[in-house]
Coordinates of all heavy atoms in Angstrom, one line a residue:
M152 N -0.7 -65.3 23.1 CA -1.4 -65.6 24.4 C -2.7 -66.2 24.2 O -3.5 -65.7 23.4 CB -1.5 -64.3 25.2 CG -1.6 -64.5 26.6 SD -1.5 -62.8 27.3 CE -2.3 -63.1 28.8
G153 N -2.9 -67.4 24.7 CA -4.2 -68.1 24.5 C -5.3 -67.4 25.4 O -5.0 -66.8 26.4
G154 N -6.4 -67.5 24.9 CA -7.5 -67.0 25.6 C -8.3 -68.0 26.4 O -7.8 -69.1 26.7
L155 N -9.4 -67.7 26.9 CA -10.2 -68.5 27.7 C -10.7 -69.7 26.8 O -10.9 -70.8 27.3 CB -11.4 -67.7 28.2 CG -12.0 -68.3 29.5 CD1 -11.0 -68.4 30.6 CD2 -13.1 -67.4 29.9
F156 N -10.9 -69.4 25.5 CA -11.6 -70.4 24.7 C -10.6 -71.0 23.7 O -11.0 -71.5 22.6 CB -12.8 -69.8 24.0 CG -13.8 -69.3 24.9 CD1 -13.9 -67.9 25.1 CD2 -14.6 -70.1 25.6 CE1 -14.9 -67.4 25.9 CE2 -15.5 -69.6 26.5 CZ -15.7 -68.2 26.7
G157 N -9.4 -71.0 23.9 CA -8.4 -71.6 23.0 C -7.5 -70.6 22.4 O -6.7 -70.0 23.1
G158 N -7.5 -70.6 21.1 CA -6.5 -69.8 20.4 C -6.9 -68.3 20.4 O -7.9 -67.8 20.9
S159 N -6.0 -67.5 19.8 CA -6.2 -66.1 19.7 C -6.4 -65.7 18.2 O -5.7 -66.2 17.4 CB -5.1 -65.2 20.3 OG -3.9 -65.5 19.6
K160 N -7.3 -64.8 18.0 CA -7.5 -64.3 16.6 C -6.8 -63.0 16.4 O -6.7 -62.2 17.4 CB -9.0 -64.1 16.4 CG -9.8 -65.4 16.3 CD -11.2 -65.2 15.7 CE -12.0 -64.6 16.8 NZ -13.4 -64.5 16.4
P161 N -6.3 -62.7 15.2 CA -5.7 -61.4 15.0 C -6.9 -60.4 15.0 O -8.0 -60.7 14.7 CB -5.1 -61.5 13.6 CG -5.8 -62.7 13.0 CD -6.3 -63.6 14.1
P162 N -6.5 -59.1 15.4 CA -7.6 -58.1 15.4 C -8.1 -57.9 14.0 O -7.4 -58.0 13.0 CB -6.8 -56.9 15.9 CG -5.4 -57.1 15.7 CD -5.2 -58.6 15.7
P163 N -9.4 -57.6 13.9 CA -10.0 -57.5 12.6 C -9.5 -56.2 11.9 O -9.4 -55.1 12.6 CB -11.5 -57.4 12.9 CG -11.6 -57.0 14.3 CD -10.4 -57.5 15.0
G164 N -9.2 -56.2 10.7 CA -8.7 -55.0 10.0 C -9.9 -54.3 9.4 O -11.1 -54.7 9.6
P165 N -9.6 -53.2 8.7 CA -10.7 -52.4 8.1 C -11.4 -53.2 7.0 O -10.8 -54.0 6.3 CB -10.0 -51.2 7.6 CG -8.6 -51.6 7.4 CD -8.3 -52.6 8.4
T166 N -12.7 -53.0 6.9 CA -13.4 -53.7 5.8 C -13.1 -53.0 4.5 O -12.6 -51.9 4.4 CB -14.9 -53.6 6.1 OG1 -15.4 -52.3 6.0 CG2 -15.3 -54.3 7.4
Q167 N -13.5 -53.7 3.4 CA -13.3 -53.1 2.1 C -14.1 -51.8 1.9 O -13.6 -50.9 1.3 CB -13.7 -54.1 1.0 CG -13.4 -53.7 -0.4 CD -11.9 -53.5 -0.6 OE1 -11.1 -54.3 -0.1 NE2 -11.5 -52.5 -1.3
E168 N -15.3 -51.7 2.5 CA -16.1 -50.5 2.4 C -15.3 -49.3 3.1 O -15.3 -48.2 2.6 CB -17.4 -50.7 3.1 CG -18.3 -49.5 3.0 CD -19.7 -49.8 3.6 OE1 -20.0 -51.0 3.9 OE2 -20.4 -48.8 3.9
E169 N -14.7 -49.6 4.2 CA -14.0 -48.6 4.9 C -12.8 -48.2 4.1 O -12.4 -47.0 4.1 CB -13.5 -49.1 6.3 CG -14.7 -49.2 7.3 CD -14.3 -49.9 8.6 OE1 -13.2 -50.6 8.6 OE2 -15.0 -49.7 9.6
L170 N -12.1 -49.1 3.5 CA -10.9 -48.8 2.7 C -11.3 -47.9 1.5 O -10.6 -47.0 1.1 CB -10.2 -50.1 2.2 CG -9.5 -50.9 3.3 CD1 -9.0 -52.2 2.7 CD2 -8.4 -50.1 3.8
D171 N -12.5 -48.3 0.8 CA -13.0 -47.5 -0.3 C -13.3 -46.1 0.1 O -13.1 -45.1 -0.6 CB -14.2 -48.2 -0.9 CG -13.8 -49.5 -1.6 OD1 -12.7 -49.7 -1.9 OD2 -14.8 -50.3 -1.8
D172 N -14.0 -45.9 1.3 CA -14.3 -44.6 1.8 C -13.1 -43.8 2.1 O -13.0 -42.6 1.8 CB -15.2 -44.7 3.1 CG -16.6 -45.2 2.9 OD1 -17.0 -45.2 1.7 OD2 -17.2 -45.7 3.9
Q173 N -12.1 -44.4 2.6 CA -10.8 -43.7 2.9 C -10.2 -43.3 1.6 O -9.7 -42.1 1.5 CB -9.9 -44.6 3.7 CG -8.6 -43.9 4.0 CD -7.6 -44.8 4.8 OE1 -7.9 -46.0 5.1 NE2 -6.5 -44.3 5.2
A174 N -10.2 -44.1 0.6 CA -9.6 -43.7 -0.7 C -10.4 -42.6 -1.3 O -9.7 -41.7 -1.9 CB -9.6 -45.0 -1.6
D175 N -11.7 -42.6 -1.2 CA -12.5 -41.5 -1.7 C -12.2 -40.2 -1.0 O -12.0 -39.1 -1.6 CB -14.0 -41.8 -1.6 CG -14.4 -42.9 -2.5 OD1 -13.7 -43.2 -3.5 OD2 -15.5 -43.4 -2.3
R176 N -12.0 -40.2 0.3 CA -11.7 -39.0 1.1 C -10.3 -38.5 0.7 O -10.2 -37.3 0.5 CB -11.7 -39.4 2.6 CG -13.1 -39.4 3.2 CD -13.0 -39.4 4.7 NE -12.2 -40.5 5.3 CZ -12.6 -41.7 5.6 NH1 -13.9 -42.0 5.5 NH2 -11.8 -42.6 6.1
E177 N -9.4 -39.4 0.5 CA -8.0 -38.9 0.1 C -8.0 -38.3 -1.3 O -7.4 -37.3 -1.5 CB -7.1 -40.1 0.1 CG -6.7 -40.5 1.6 CD -5.8 -41.8 1.6 OE1 -5.5 -42.3 0.5 OE2 -5.5 -42.2 2.7
A178 N -8.8 -38.9 -2.2 CA -8.9 -38.3 -3.5 C -9.6 -36.9 -3.5 O -9.1 -36.0 -4.2 CB -9.7 -39.3 -4.4
R179 N -10.6 -36.8 -2.7 CA -11.3 -35.5 -2.6 C -10.3 -34.5 -2.0 O -10.3 -33.3 -2.4 CB -12.5 -35.6 -1.8 CG -13.7 -36.1 -2.5 CD -15.0 -35.9 -1.7 NE -15.0 -36.4 -0.4 CZ -15.4 -37.5 0.0 NH1 -15.9 -38.4 -0.9 NH2 -15.4 -37.9 1.2
A180 N -9.6 -34.9 -1.0 CA -8.6 -34.0 -0.3 C -7.5 -33.5 -1.3 O -7.1 -32.4 -1.3 CB -8.0 -34.6 0.9
T181 N -7.0 -34.5 -2.1 CA -6.0 -34.1 -3.1 C -6.5 -33.2 -4.1 O -5.9 -32.2 -4.5 CB -5.5 -35.4 -3.8 OG1 -5.0 -36.3 -2.8 CG2 -4.4 -35.1 -4.7
A182 N -7.8 -33.4 -4.6 CA -8.4 -32.5 -5.6 C -8.6 -31.1 -5.0 O -8.3 -30.1 -5.7 CB -9.7 -33.1 -6.1
K183 N -9.0 -31.1 -3.8 CA -9.3 -29.8 -3.2 C -7.9 -29.0 -3.0 O -7.9 -27.8 -3.2 CB -10.0 -30.0 -1.8 CG -10.4 -28.7 -1.2 CD -11.2 -29.0 0.1 CE -11.6 -27.7 0.7 NZ -12.3 -27.9 2.0
E184 N -6.9 -29.8 -2.6 CA -5.6 -29.2 -2.4 C -5.0 -28.6 -3.7 O -4.5 -27.5 -3.7 CB -4.6 -30.2 -1.8 CG -3.3 -29.7 -1.4 CD -2.4 -30.8 -0.8 OE1 -2.9 -31.6 -0.1 OE2 -1.2 -30.7 -1.1
T185 N -5.2 -29.3 -4.8 CA -4.6 -28.8 -6.0 C -5.5 -27.6 -6.5 O -4.9 -26.7 -7.1 CB -4.7 -29.9 -7.1 OG1 -6.0 -30.5 -7.2 CG2 -3.7 -31.0 -6.8
E186 N -6.8 -27.6 -6.3 CA -7.6 -26.5 -6.6 C -7.2 -25.2 -5.9 O -7.1 -24.1 -6.4 CB -9.1 -26.8 -6.3 CG -10.0 -25.7 -6.6 CD -10.2 -25.5 -8.1 OE1 -9.9 -26.4 -8.9 OE2 -10.7 -24.4 -8.5
E187 N -6.9 -25.4 -4.6 CA -6.5 -24.3 -3.7 C -5.1 -23.7 -4.2 O -4.9 -22.5 -4.3 CB -6.4 -24.7 -2.3 CG -7.7 -24.9 -1.6 CD -8.5 -23.6 -1.5 OE1 -7.9 -22.6 -1.2 OE2 -9.7 -23.7 -1.7
K188 N -4.2 -24.6 -4.6 CA -2.9 -24.2 -5.1 C -3.0 -23.4 -6.4 O -2.4 -22.4 -6.6 CB -2.0 -25.4 -5.3 CG -1.4 -26.0 -4.0 CD -0.5 -27.2 -4.4 CE 0.0 -27.9 -3.1 NZ 0.8 -29.0 -3.5
R189 N -3.9 -23.9 -7.3 CA -4.2 -23.2 -8.5 C -4.8 -21.8 -8.3 O -4.3 -20.8 -8.9 CB -5.1 -24.0 -9.4 CG -5.2 -23.6 -10.8 CD -6.2 -24.4 -11.6 NE -7.5 -24.5 -11.1 CZ -8.4 -23.4 -11.2 NH1 -8.1 -22.3 -11.8 NH2 -9.6 -23.5 -10.7
K190 N -5.7 -21.7 -7.4 CA -6.3 -20.4 -7.1 C -5.3 -19.4 -6.5 O -5.2 -18.3 -6.9 CB -7.4 -20.5 -6.0 CG -8.7 -21.1 -6.6 CD -9.8 -21.2 -5.6 CE -11.0 -21.7 -6.1 NZ -12.1 -21.8 -5.0
I191 N -4.4 -19.9 -5.6 CA -3.4 -19.0 -5.0 C -2.4 -18.6 -6.1 O -2.0 -17.4 -6.1 CB -2.7 -19.8 -3.8 CG1 -3.7 -19.9 -2.7 CG2 -1.4 -19.1 -3.4 CD1 -3.1 -20.9 -1.6
A192 N -2.0 -19.5 -6.9 CA -1.0 -19.2 -8.0 C -1.7 -18.1 -8.9 O -1.0 -17.2 -9.4 CB -0.6 -20.4 -8.8
S193 N -2.9 -18.3 -9.3 CA -3.6 -17.4 -10.2 C -3.7 -16.0 -9.5 O -3.5 -15.0 -10.2 CB -5.0 -17.9 -10.5 OG -5.7 -17.0 -11.2
R194 N -4.0 -16.0 -8.3 CA -4.1 -14.7 -7.5 C -2.7 -14.0 -7.5 O -2.6 -12.8 -7.7 CB -4.6 -15.0 -6.1 CG -5.1 -13.8 -5.4 CD -5.7 -14.1 -4.1 NE -6.8 -15.1 -4.2 CZ -6.9 -16.2 -3.4 NH1 -6.1 -16.4 -2.4 NH2 -7.8 -17.1 -3.6
Q195 N -1.6 -14.8 -7.3 CA -0.3 -14.2 -7.3 C 0.1 -13.6 -8.6 O 0.7 -12.5 -8.7 CB 0.7 -15.2 -6.8 CG 0.6 -15.5 -5.3 CD 1.6 -16.6 -4.9 OE1 2.0 -17.4 -5.8 NE2 1.8 -16.7 -3.6
I196 N -0.2 -14.3 -9.7 CA 0.1 -13.8 -11.0 C -0.7 -12.6 -11.3 O -0.2 -11.6 -11.8 CB -0.3 -14.9 -12.1 CG1 0.7 -16.1 -11.9 CG2 -0.2 -14.3 -13.5 CD1 0.4 -17.3 -12.7
S197 N -2.0 -12.5 -10.9 CA -2.8 -11.4 -11.1 C -2.3 -10.2 -10.4 O -2.2 -9.1 -10.9 CB -4.2 -11.7 -10.7 OG -5.0 -10.5 -10.7
R198 N -1.9 -10.4 -9.2 CA -1.3 -9.3 -8.4 C 0.0 -8.7 -8.9 O 0.2 -7.5 -9.0 CB -1.1 -9.7 -6.9 CG -2.4 -9.9 -6.1 CD -2.1 -10.3 -4.7 NE -3.4 -10.4 -4.0 CZ -3.6 -11.1 -2.9 NH1 -2.5 -11.7 -2.3 NH2 -4.7 -11.1 -2.3
S199 N 0.8 -9.6 -9.4 CA 2.1 -9.2 -9.9 C 1.9 -8.4 -11.2 O 2.5 -7.3 -11.5 CB 3.0 -10.3 -10.2 OG 2.6 -11.1 -11.2
K200 N 0.9 -8.8 -12.1 CA 0.6 -8.1 -13.3 C 0.0 -6.7 -13.0 O 0.3 -5.7 -13.6 CB -0.3 -8.9 -14.2 CG 0.3 -10.0 -14.9 CD -0.6 -10.7 -15.8 CE 0.0 -11.8 -16.6 NZ -0.9 -12.5 -17.5
R201 N -0.9 -6.7 -12.0 CA -1.5 -5.4 -11.6 C -0.5 -4.4 -11.1 O -0.5 -3.3 -11.4 CB -2.6 -5.7 -10.5 CG -3.4 -4.5 -10.2 CD -4.5 -4.8 -9.1 NE -5.1 -6.1 -9.3 CZ -5.3 -6.9 -8.2 NH1 -5.1 -6.5 -7.0 NH2 -5.9 -8.1 -8.4
N202 N 0.5 -4.9 -10.3 CA 1.5 -4.0 -9.8 C 2.4 -3.5 -10.9 O 2.8 -2.3 -10.9 CB 2.4 -4.7 -8.7 CG 1.6 -4.9 -7.4 OD1 0.6 -4.2 -7.1 ND2 2.0 -5.8 -6.6
K203 N 2.7 -4.3 -11.8 CA 3.5 -3.9 -13.0 C 2.8 -2.8 -13.8 O 3.4 -1.8 -14.2 CB 3.9 -5.0 -13.9 CG 4.9 -6.0 -13.4 CD 5.1 -7.1 -14.3 CE 6.1 -8.1 -13.7 NZ 6.2 -9.3 -14.6
M204 N 1.5 -3.0 -13.9 CA 0.7 -2.0 -14.7 C 0.6 -0.7 -13.9 O 0.6 0.4 -14.5 CB -0.7 -2.6 -15.0 CG -0.7 -3.8 -15.9 SD 0.3 -3.5 -17.4 CE -0.9 -2.6 -18.4
L205 N 0.4 -0.8 -12.6 CA 0.3 0.5 -11.9 C 1.6 1.2 -11.9 O 1.6 2.5 -11.9 CB -0.1 0.1 -10.4 CG -1.5 -0.3 -10.2 CD1 -1.7 -0.7 -8.8 CD2 -2.5 0.8 -10.6
M206 N 2.8 0.5 -11.9 CA 4.0 1.2 -11.9 C 4.3 1.8 -13.2 O 5.0 2.8 -13.4 CB 5.2 0.2 -11.5 CG 5.1 -0.3 -10.1 SD 5.1 1.0 -8.9 CE 6.9 1.4 -9.0
S207 N 3.7 1.3 -14.3 CA 4.0 1.8 -15.6 C 3.1 3.0 -15.9 O 3.3 3.8 -16.9 CB 3.7 0.7 -16.7 OG 2.3 0.5 -16.8
G208 N 2.1 3.2 -15.1 CA 1.2 4.4 -15.3 C 0.0 4.1 -16.2 O -0.9 4.9 -16.4
D209 N -0.1 2.9 -16.7 CA -1.1 2.5 -17.6 C -1.9 1.4 -16.9 O -1.5 0.2 -17.1 CB -0.6 2.1 -19.0 CG -1.7 1.9 -20.0 OD1 -2.8 2.4 -19.7 OD2 -1.5 1.2 -21.0
A210 N -2.9 1.6 -16.2 CA -3.6 0.6 -15.4 C -4.4 -0.3 -16.2 O -4.7 -1.5 -15.8 CB -4.4 1.2 -14.3
T211 N -4.9 0.1 -17.4 CA -5.8 -0.7 -18.1 C -5.0 -1.6 -19.1 O -5.6 -2.7 -19.5 CB -6.7 0.1 -19.0 OG1 -6.0 0.9 -19.9 CG2 -7.6 1.0 -18.1
G212 N -3.8 -1.3 -19.5 CA -3.1 -2.1 -20.4 C -3.3 -1.7 -21.8 O -2.8 -2.2 -22.8
V213 N -4.2 -0.7 -22.0 CA -4.6 -0.2 -23.4 C -4.0 1.2 -23.5 O -4.1 2.0 -22.6 CB -6.1 -0.2 -23.6 CG1 -6.4 0.4 -25.0 CG2 -6.7 -1.6 -23.4
E214 N -3.3 1.4 -24.6 CA -2.7 2.7 -24.8 C -3.8 3.7 -25.2 O -4.7 3.5 -26.0 CB -1.7 2.6 -25.9 CG -0.8 3.9 -26.0 CD 0.4 3.7 -27.0 OE1 0.8 2.5 -27.1 OE2 0.7 4.7 -27.6
A215 N -3.7 4.9 -24.5 CA -4.6 6.0 -24.8 C -4.4 6.5 -26.2 O -3.3 6.6 -26.7 CB -4.5 7.1 -23.8
P216 N -5.5 6.9 -26.9 CA -5.4 7.5 -28.2 C -4.7 8.8 -28.2 O -4.8 9.6 -27.3 CB -6.8 7.6 -28.7 CG -7.6 7.7 -27.4 CD -6.9 6.9 -26.4
K217 N -3.9 9.0 -29.3 CA -3.1 10.3 -29.4 C -4.0 11.3 -30.0 O -4.5 11.2 -31.1 CB -1.9 10.1 -30.3 CG -1.0 8.9 -29.9 CD 0.1 9.4 -29.0 CE 1.1 8.3 -28.8 NZ 1.4 8.1 -27.5
R218 N -4.3 12.4 -29.2 CA -5.2 13.5 -29.7 C -4.4 14.8 -30.0 O -5.0 15.7 -30.5 CB -6.3 13.7 -28.6 CG -7.2 12.6 -28.5 CD -8.5 13.0 -27.8 NE -9.4 11.9 -27.6 CZ -9.5 11.2 -26.4 NH1 -8.8 11.5 -25.4 NH2 -10.3 10.2 -26.4
T219 N -3.2 14.8 -29.7 CA -2.4 16.0 -29.9 C -1.8 16.1 -31.3 O -1.5 15.0 -31.9 CB -1.3 16.2 -28.9 OG1 -0.4 15.1 -29.0 CG2 -1.9 16.2 -27.5
L220 N -1.6 17.2 -31.8 CA -0.9 17.4 -33.1 C 0.6 17.5 -33.0 O 1.3 17.5 -34.0 CB -1.5 18.6 -33.8 CG -3.0 18.5 -34.1 CD1 -3.5 19.9 -34.6 CD2 -3.3 17.4 -35.0
G221 N 1.1 17.6 -31.7 CA 2.5 17.8 -31.5 C 2.8 19.2 -31.1 O 2.0 20.1 -31.2
P222 N 4.0 19.5 -30.6 CA 4.3 20.8 -30.0 C 4.4 21.9 -31.1 O 4.1 23.0 -30.8 CB 5.7 20.6 -29.3 CG 6.2 19.4 -30.0 CD 5.1 18.5 -30.4
G223 N 4.7 21.6 -32.3 CA 4.8 22.6 -33.3 C 3.5 23.1 -33.8 O 3.4 24.2 -34.4
R224 N 2.4 22.3 -33.7 CA 1.1 22.6 -34.3 C 0.1 22.9 -33.2 O -1.1 23.0 -33.5 CB 0.6 21.5 -35.1 CG 1.6 21.2 -36.3 CD 1.1 20.2 -37.3 NE -0.1 20.7 -37.9 CZ -0.9 19.9 -38.6 NH1 -0.6 18.7 -38.8 NH2 -2.0 20.4 -39.2
N225 N 0.6 23.2 -32.0 CA -0.4 23.5 -30.9 C -0.7 25.0 -30.9 O 0.2 25.9 -30.8 CB 0.3 23.1 -29.5 CG -0.7 23.3 -28.4 OD1 -1.8 23.8 -28.5 ND2 -0.3 22.8 -27.2
P226 N -1.9 25.4 -31.2 CA -2.3 26.8 -31.3 C -2.1 27.6 -30.0 O -2.0 28.8 -30.0 CB -3.7 26.8 -31.8 CG -4.2 25.5 -31.4 CD -3.1 24.5 -31.4
R227 N -2.2 26.9 -28.8 CA -2.1 27.7 -27.6 C -0.7 27.8 -27.1 O -0.5 28.5 -26.1 CB -2.9 26.9 -26.5 CG -4.4 27.0 -26.8 CD -5.1 26.3 -25.7 NE -5.6 25.0 -26.2 CZ -6.1 24.0 -25.5 NH1 -6.2 24.2 -24.2 NH2 -6.5 22.9 -26.1
A228 N 0.3 27.3 -27.8 CA 1.6 27.3 -27.3 C 2.3 28.6 -27.8 O 2.0 29.2 -28.7 CB 2.4 26.1 -27.7

């Protein structure tokens, strides 16, 4: 459709600066998203290990030292 002054121009697109800004925003959003996924996965792994340790009765993961001499050498038995 012709205008008042002759031909019609296509609508102006985004400038190169706007395109660069958008690419930067997308890169930051992607980096933030992957960081959040990594944190959530780490937290889930930690929770599952903690639950396994609690169910085993050894919450620290280190075996307690053996201080007994055994049932045959117990003087109070």
Side-chain angles (χ1 to χ4, degrees):
M152 201 170 158
L155 202 57
F156 302 106
S159 64
K160 290 193 282 184
T166 64
Q167 187 61 38
E168 183 180 343
E169 290 172 337
L170 291 173
D171 292 341
D172 289 343
Q173 181 180 1
D175 290 343
R176 282 194 303 269
E177 289 175 359
R179 281 194 305 266
T181 304
K183 187 175 180 182
E184 184 178 325
T185 55
E186 179 72 18
E187 289 293 322
K188 285 181 182 179
R189 191 180 59 74
K190 284 182 182 179
I191 290 171
S193 174
R194 198 174 304 136
Q195 287 175 341
I196 291 169
S197 171
R198 285 182 180 162
S199 67
K200 283 185 180 178
R201 189 179 321 140
N202 285 340
K203 286 179 186 175
M204 295 307 280
L205 286 175
M206 294 302 285
S207 70
D209 187 21
T211 60
V213 178
E214 191 171 328
K217 305 265 190 232
R218 293 197 181 99
T219 62
L220 300 173
R224 300 186 60 192
N225 189 351
R227 289 182 257 171

